[in-house]
């Protein structure tokens, strides 16, 4: 398979996982999920166009169920369907600024999550909801979600 998925994104970005490498887990995309990955890639290209072609740094895209379990991801994570991407975009600023940019755009998404003040999660679905969330760790280590984009509570 050619490494280039779209003009600006590669298959390596889709499947790279430090956890998969460290634990020896398979993180290849099953054939039946290839259309989902292509849909997500097209969305990311639209986002890159919206920010004037500036770089987007992918931190997590596809996750096999084993990789998702190993990192403690949601059991219903869109990453396992190839329909979610975590990323940073330094050109736009910190992750909250990036999340707000996506939220204010005319891009069609299901979720934008400002996650832990460290990156932005964007997910796609059938019947996108344009849901905006902020995720942070509670005092006992649990993930707490707020139904809006805000600075991470301290």
């Amino acid at each position: 398979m050619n490494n280039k998925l779209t003009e600006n994104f590669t298959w390596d970005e889709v499947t790279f996982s430090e956890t998969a490498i460290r634990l020896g887990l398979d993180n290849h995309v099953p054939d039946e999920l290839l259309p989902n990955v292509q849909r997500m890639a097209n969305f990311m290209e639209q986002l890159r166009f919206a920010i004037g072609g500036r770089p987007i740094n992918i931190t997590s895209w596809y996750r096999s169920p084993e990789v998702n379990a190993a990192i403690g991801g949601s059991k219903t994570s869109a990453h396992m369907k190839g329909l979610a991407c975590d990323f940073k975009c330094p050109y736009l600023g910190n992750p909250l600024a990036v999340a707000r940019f996506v939220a204010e755009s005319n891009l069609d998404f299901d979720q934008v999550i400002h996650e832990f003040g460290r990156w932005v999660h964007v997910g796609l679905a059938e019947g996108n909801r344009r849901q905006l969330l902020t995720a942070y760790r509670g005092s006992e280590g649990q993930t707490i979600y707020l139904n809006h984009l805000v600075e991470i509570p301290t």
Side-chain angles (χ1 to χ4, degrees):
M1 180 182 307
N2 180 344
N3 191 39
K4 202 160 187 161
L5 176 59
T6 63
E7 181 178 346
N8 294 292
F9 298 100
T10 67
W11 282 102
D12 288 344
E13 290 174 297
V14 172
T15 61
F16 179 78
S17 165
E18 289 181 4
T19 301
I21 294 166
R22 183 172 30 83
L23 298 177
L25 300 173
D26 182 10
N27 200 45
H28 82 277
V29 179
D31 288 348
E32 65 269 16
L33 297 181
L34 295 178
N36 290 353
V37 171
Q38 188 64 59
R39 179 177 171 211
M40 190 76 232
N42 293 343
F43 175 90
M44 295 305 291
E45 285 290 351
Q46 291 171 13
L47 174 58
R48 187 172 165 125
F49 179 80
I51 58 171
R54 300 293 198 301
I56 293 173
N57 305 324
I58 306 299
T59 59
S60 180
W61 194 320
Y62 174 73
R63 292 186 204 143
S64 69
E66 296 79 17
V67 170
N68 193 65
I71 67 152
S74 165
K75 290 179 169 77
T76 60
S77 174
H79 285 282
M80 293 187 295
K81 297 175 185 173
L83 288 173
C85 190
D86 296 343
F87 66 96
K88 299 176 183 180
C89 183
Y91 170 77
L92 289 176
N94 66 29
L96 178 57
V98 175
R100 286 179 173 157
F101 179 88
V102 178
E104 293 167 5
S105 76
N106 64 354
L107 297 171
D108 188 28
F109 59 84
D110 185 52
Q111 285 185 321
V112 168
I113 308 174
H114 171 222
E115 290 194 298
F116 313 106
R118 298 178 55 209
W119 64 83
V120 176
H121 166 100
V122 65
L124 304 178
E126 293 303 322
N128 288 329
R129 301 171 287 176
R130 294 188 63 89
Q131 182 180 45
L132 306 175
L133 301 169
T134 296
Y136 69 98
R137 297 273 181 233
S139 60
E140 298 177 16
Q142 76 280 26
T143 300
I144 298 172
Y145 291 92
L146 302 174
N147 287 314
H148 49 284
L149 299 173
V150 296
E151 291 288 341
I152 301 298
T154 56

